[in-house]
Amino acid sequence: MKIPALALMLSASTGFAAAAMPQPAANPIGLWQNPKGTLLVRTRYCGQLLCGNIVWASPKAMADARDAGVTSLIGTELLSDYRRSGAARWTGQVYVPDQGRRFYSTIEQKSANDIRISGCILGGLLCKRQDWTRQ
């Protein structure tokens, strides 16, 4: 039995056809802003690993980094060596410029436009997390 073209168009416009089609997986590649709006980080694949560099920083973020000995914040690799560790999850290292240190970290893709970055010490006993948004 053939479905009339009008019925097919109506079902597509109401979302029935879209619900049946597989949706593209969330992708961590892109431009992300931290919650305070003081950093923009561009993520990309570095070989088979995920990494991200600072492409913009507020004057306050640059001053905080300078106080910690980081002379040039723009271009700094904030996210490094992330490996996929599950569906929409990666593990690697996050660099905290105002502390001048790297920490064990996870990235969780919460939605297409939201990621959660966590940095931990003491084998994951103490963690801080931030929700970043796609720009």
Side-chain angles (χ1 to χ4, degrees):
M1 174 167 114
K2 286 190 173 184
I3 299 174
L6 181 58
L8 185 57
M9 286 175 34
L10 285 174
S11 68
S13 68
T14 58
F16 295 122
M21 296 176 63
Q23 299 298 313
N27 186 335
I29 302 303
L31 187 62
W32 299 93
Q33 183 177 47
N34 71 341
K36 292 182 180 179
T38 58
L39 291 177
L40 288 177
V41 172
R42 181 165 311 280
T43 56
R44 66 188 189 293
Y45 285 110
C46 300
Q48 294 194 7
L49 303 177
L50 182 69
C51 62
N53 294 73
I54 298 171
V55 296
W56 178 86
S58 72
K60 181 176 179 352
M62 289 192 282
D64 290 346
R66 270 193 305 275
D67 290 346
V70 178
T71 55
S72 179
L73 193 55
I74 307 302
T76 297
E77 188 174 61
L78 193 76
L79 308 171
S80 60
D81 301 329
Y82 284 83
R83 291 171 168 72
R84 185 175 290 278
S85 58
R89 184 178 165 92
W90 295 263
T91 57
Q93 292 188 348
V94 63
Y95 177 64
V96 180
D98 57 357
Q99 294 183 15
R101 297 181 54 199
R102 292 193 179 279
F103 298 95
Y104 168 81
S105 174
T106 60
I107 296 175
E108 295 177 71
Q109 185 106 32
K110 305 308 271 179
S111 72
N113 295 315
D114 297 289
I115 58 174
R116 176 169 289 159
I117 301 175
S118 301
C120 302
I121 60 173
L122 300 174
L125 291 177
L126 296 173
C127 298
K128 263 186 126 171
R129 68 181 190 204
Q130 292 184 340
D131 292 336
W132 290 46
T133 55
R134 188 181 299 275
Q135 298 300 296

